[in-house]
Amino acid sequence: MSARVALVTGGTGGIGTAIVRRLADSGYRVATNYRNEDKARAWQAQLRADGYEVALAAGDVTDHVAAEAMVREIEGQLGPVDILINNAGITRDGTFHKMKPDQWQDVINTNLNSIYNVTRPVIEGMRERKWGRIIQISSINGLKGQYGQANYAAAKAGMHGFTISLARENAKLGITVNTVSPGYVATDMVMAVPEDVRAKIAADIPTGRLGRPEEIAYAVNFLVADEAAWITGSNLDINGGHHMGW
Ligand SMILES: NC(=O)c1ccc[n+]([C@@H]2O[C@H](COP(=O)([O-])OP(=O)(O)OC[C@H]3O[C@@H](n4cnc5c(N)ncnc54)[C@H](OP(=O)(O)O)[C@@H]3O)[C@@H](O)[C@H]2O)c1
């Protein structure tokens, strides 16, 4: 059998790049999407210099027509998508009593509606082939809430509702569906937070530091393995102990 194909949305970002590299290291053929071609080609060239060949396809995940075209383009380049990592995401923080409609809609569209847009074009093929792995990259703040993130927390919590429903619908067909909920990871998304706020966050984390993108990628790589076939409908918290529950 040729190597499985993995699509990582938002693969050019901080966590996405680590996931792309890790899955490629495991021998999967990996693809991601882009909105800005120049930026994506520069990213692709950097990875190529490091020995990674990653397929690219244009596609804004908030647009279901563009997302389907992106999936078909990747299928044309690499073959059917066996593994989907719904990782693309944004924040548009603000307290809810001041939140503008576009702050709400942009975050719901990018983090939540996107998972319909990208998963819908891959799920039928996975069902026919009786094998698939789908992972939602949610967030610690979808579990515990966060000041200024009613939009983001709503979207991220919604992702897990999707996970547990899709997991039930597809469990008999060799498809697992899981959520990974990172805590604060040192990527551009978090480095955009003022330094004093970041220092306070790190001090609140039992491990005393932010996470590394590679630590999220490690979990994703674990969940997509053949051996992880009985792990479905789960949420994996990776947050240095910042939020513990069971
Ligand atoms: N960093 C953290 O601490 C943290 C914690 C918990 C959860 N997360 C989640 O982890 C995921 C990755 O976060 P990150 O920190 O790696 O963020 P990041 O570095 O900002 O990367 C985000 C990626 O998503 C892509 N993207 C955004 N909107 C898109 C759209 N409409 N269509 C297609 N692609 C789009 C971006 O592409 P462009 O270059 O085109 O913008 C970029 O590749 C997100 O879902 C985030 O919510 C992050």
Side-chain angles (χ1 to χ4, degrees):
M1 188 183 71
S2 66
R4 289 195 164 113
V5 173
L7 166 58
V8 181
T9 68
T12 62
I15 291 175
T17 299
I19 296 173
V20 163
R21 285 174 183 263
R22 180 78 200 216
L23 295 183
D25 285 338
S26 293
Y28 302 107
R29 290 176 297 145
V30 187
T32 190
N33 64 306
Y34 63 82
R35 294 183 293 176
N36 176 328
E37 180 158 12
D38 290 345
K39 195 173 144 192
R41 296 284 169 211
W43 174 88
Q44 187 184 41
Q46 176 61 55
L47 262 78
R48 189 170 289 142
D50 294 342
Y52 295 94
E53 205 48 61
V54 183
L56 288 177
D60 183 329
V61 297
T62 64
D63 175 339
H64 76 95
V65 175
E68 172 154 17
M70 178 258 287
V71 168
R72 301 299 167 232
E73 167 64 26
I74 288 162
E75 287 173 342
Q77 291 185 43
L78 299 183
V81 174
D82 304 300
I83 297 167
L84 170 62
I85 316 299
N86 280 312
N87 166 75
I90 58 166
T91 50
R92 295 281 181 272
D93 294 354
T95 49
F96 184 71
H97 59 278
K98 293 185 182 159
M99 191 172 283
K100 303 273 184 256
D102 63 333
Q103 275 175 290
W104 176 266
Q105 277 148 14
D106 287 354
V107 168
I108 300 294
N109 283 335
T110 308
N111 296 276
L112 185 60
N113 290 337
S114 62
I115 66 179
Y116 170 84
N117 296 337
V118 184
T119 310
R120 185 67 184 79
V122 305
I123 191 76
E124 287 181 57
M126 288 180 180
R127 288 172 63 90
E128 278 159 22
R129 295 187 302 279
K130 300 200 169 23
W131 199 94
R133 297 283 184 267
I134 299 170
I135 297 178
Q136 276 57 254
I137 306 297
S138 176
S139 167
I140 184 175
N141 292 342
L143 295 164
K144 70 171 190 55
Q146 178 61 299
Y147 189 95
Q149 288 199 326
N151 50 359
Y152 185 75
K156 292 303 194 185
M159 291 176 104
H160 192 58
F162 173 80
T163 288
I164 55 185
S165 300
L166 211 64
R168 285 184 188 278
E169 289 182 11
N170 294 284
K172 288 208 168 56
L173 295 171
I175 301 168
T176 70
V177 190
N178 292 289
T179 300
V180 167
S181 295
Y184 288 84
V185 179
T187 68
D188 290 348
M189 183 180 274
V190 164
M191 297 318 258
V193 173
E195 200 179 336
D196 56 324
V197 179
R198 259 189 288 132
K200 252 183 90 189
I201 292 170
D204 267 355
I205 302 174
T207 54
R209 65 167 175 86
L210 301 180
R212 301 183 185 103
E214 294 73 20
E215 291 171 322
I216 309 307
Y218 172 76
V220 168
N221 188 58
F222 161 74
L223 287 170
V224 301
D226 268 320
E227 295 88 334
W230 217 50
I231 305 175
T232 195
S234 72
N235 170 57
L236 184 49
D237 293 326
I238 309 172
N239 58 36
H242 200 181
H243 179 70
M244 301 187 205
W246 65 282

